[in-house]
Amino acid sequence: MKIVHILSCAPFGGTESQCEWLALALHGAGVAQRIILAGDSERISRLSKAGVDVVEMELKGLLGFLVRRKIEAELGRFAPDIVLSWRPDVSSLVTAGSFAHIGRLPAQFDIKAYHGCTGLLAPSKGRADAAVAAGWAADKIIQLPNLPSPAGPRGDVAPFERRKLFTPATAKIVFSAGRLEKSKSFDVLIDAVARLSGVYLWIAGDGPDRAAFEAHALNRGIKPRVRFLGWQEDLRPYFAASDLFVYPAKQEDLGDAVVEAWQAGVPVIAADSIGPGLLIRHQENGVLVPVGDAVAMADAITWLLGDRRAAKDLGLAGRAAFERDFAHEHVVKRYHDAFAAVCKTPDPPVAPAPSAPAESA
């Protein structure tokens, strides 16, 4: 089995990490791969040092036909069984060949971007359902969860030093992480923490609405207790330093944030959006609160900060759920088996007509 990954990198986001983690995992399993990657020197360096074949190539610009030719030449030299395009903008750059071309679905997509694909990879049921509604046959869609971080649980690392973030040694720390955009509702979390005294909020991530969230913390009068950490590749030191993980997103079809907190063994509170709501069993392996309800979120934080036994039990239950359903080696095997099955398919599936309406999850 030979796989080519094609990825145009954004300044921040989980897609890049997913591509890197999957490539490294499959490399460790002996799968021959090549990654065509643009604009991420640190990631390129990490992959190359690990022994993964990386080709750096500019994938954006007005001369799309030249990019297509370069990609076609690389594919001709490598002769892959599968080409995995990680973003819609690169799916259209792949000329059809003897390989299976699989396009990975983001949260929002125009189905016409995948007219040249022979299959789709959906990291959530919501995205798979949206593709089916847009005209794809369900058996042409591979639905697999995102890979958890291969870094391991928080016990493997030391807690991040509070003094570096000007956080008192005795303060309670609520931690959160994600892309800083309106749909993730970090303003609701800020409102919840504003109702509590002596609680500090650390938020890891970046995105288009970071300045708006920072301004909201200032307007609510708790900017001195809120730390915006920027995008962090390794969240384990922050999990290790925190008392709780709270994920406030009102629109979220994935449960990645919950899974990562479970992996770290940290008790989780989440807004009851689709992704977290499908994972968490309320007060068994986490706590769910109504979407957009800062008062309920503050009450849940108060409860778990004051009841160490309950918080510990939720953390342990979350860790058990991770080991049962999301352990890295298990998810990697599912990807390996799914890709192996694609390679054995005698006739590639037929992509839907490009005139299908756009859908988003």
Side-chain angles (χ1 to χ4, degrees):
M1 179 166 57
K2 299 173 69 177
I3 300 175
V4 168
H5 306 259
I6 307 177
L7 173 65
S8 57
C9 289
F12 35 73
T15 300
E16 292 78 12
S17 295
Q18 284 295 310
C19 178
E20 179 180 354
W21 295 347
L22 181 59
L24 290 173
L26 294 177
H27 178 71
V31 177
Q33 298 171 99
R34 176 167 293 175
I35 301 182
I36 299 175
L37 183 62
D40 194 331
S41 58
E42 291 185 5
R43 201 173 305 277
I44 289 170
S45 176
R46 287 197 300 268
L47 288 163
S48 298
K49 288 180 179 178
V52 180
D53 183 6
V54 182
V55 175
E56 189 170 6
M57 183 185 299
E58 179 56 55
L59 296 171
K60 296 181 180 180
L62 298 177
L63 300 179
F65 70 96
L66 291 179
V67 178
R68 290 189 186 91
R69 288 181 182 177
K70 290 181 179 180
I71 292 175
E72 187 174 4
E74 286 295 336
L75 298 182
R77 284 189 284 269
F78 192 71
D81 300 298
I82 296 173
V83 173
L84 181 55
S85 53
W86 282 82
R87 292 188 186 279
D89 59 336
V90 298
S91 291
S92 60
L93 298 175
V94 178
T95 303
S98 59
F99 48 81
H101 179 198
I102 300 174
R104 182 182 183 274
L105 297 175
Q108 297 180 349
F109 57 88
D110 184 341
I111 200 66
K112 291 182 286 186
Y114 301 98
H115 70 87
C117 293
T118 57
L120 298 176
L121 174 62
S124 75
K125 185 178 185 300
R127 299 184 196 186
D129 289 346
V132 170
W136 279 81
D139 62 355
K140 305 299 188 275
I141 301 172
I142 303 170
Q143 185 185 325
L144 291 170
N146 278 337
L147 282 165
S149 169
R154 67 172 180 171
D156 296 344
V157 297
F160 193 85
E161 294 184 46
R162 291 168 174 243
R163 63 179 180 82
K164 292 182 178 180
L165 292 174
F166 303 99
T167 302
T170 57
K172 297 293 187 181
I173 298 175
V174 169
F175 178 48
S176 193
R179 183 172 169 82
L180 300 188
E181 59 186 21
K182 291 180 181 179
S183 66
K184 305 308 180 187
S185 304
F186 288 105
D187 54 334
V188 176
L189 177 54
I190 290 168
D191 288 342
V193 173
R195 301 176 64 86
L196 309 173
S197 62
V199 175
Y200 277 63
L201 174 60
W202 293 1
I203 301 175
D206 213 332
D209 294 311
R210 174 172 177 167
F213 290 133
E214 290 182 338
H216 187 72
L218 180 64
N219 292 336
R220 294 291 280 114
I222 64 162
K223 188 64 171 13
R225 292 192 282 129
V226 181
R227 304 290 181 262
F228 289 88
L229 312 179
W231 187 263
Q232 301 293 327
E233 287 289 339
D234 187 358
L235 298 180
R236 291 178 301 161
Y238 305 99
F239 279 121
S242 64
D243 295 284
L244 300 173
F245 180 81
V246 182
Y247 193 63
K250 63 182 177 182
Q251 295 177 9
E252 182 58 79
D253 66 317
L254 301 173
D256 292 359
V258 172
V259 171
E260 196 156 7
W262 280 354
Q263 183 180 19
V266 178
V268 179
I269 299 170
D272 195 6
S273 49
I274 293 175
L278 289 174
L279 287 176
I280 292 175
R281 297 191 305 275
H282 182 55
Q283 295 188 7
E284 293 184 27
N285 54 21
V287 176
L288 293 171
V289 297
V291 169
D293 192 334
V295 175
M297 190 172 290
D299 288 345
I301 292 171
T302 299
W303 169 47
L304 289 183
L305 290 181
D307 190 335
R308 293 185 178 181
R309 178 60 183 270
K312 181 179 179 180
D313 288 346
L314 288 177
L316 291 173
R319 178 66 189 177
F322 172 82
E323 292 292 348
R324 183 182 65 247
D325 298 325
F326 298 100
H328 191 264
E329 60 272 18
H330 301 327
V331 179
V332 170
K333 185 178 186 303
R334 291 177 63 185
Y335 274 87
H336 186 281
D337 292 349
F339 291 158
V342 169
C343 293
K344 294 176 183 177
T345 302
D347 298 310
V350 178
S355 58
E359 292 287 334
S360 64

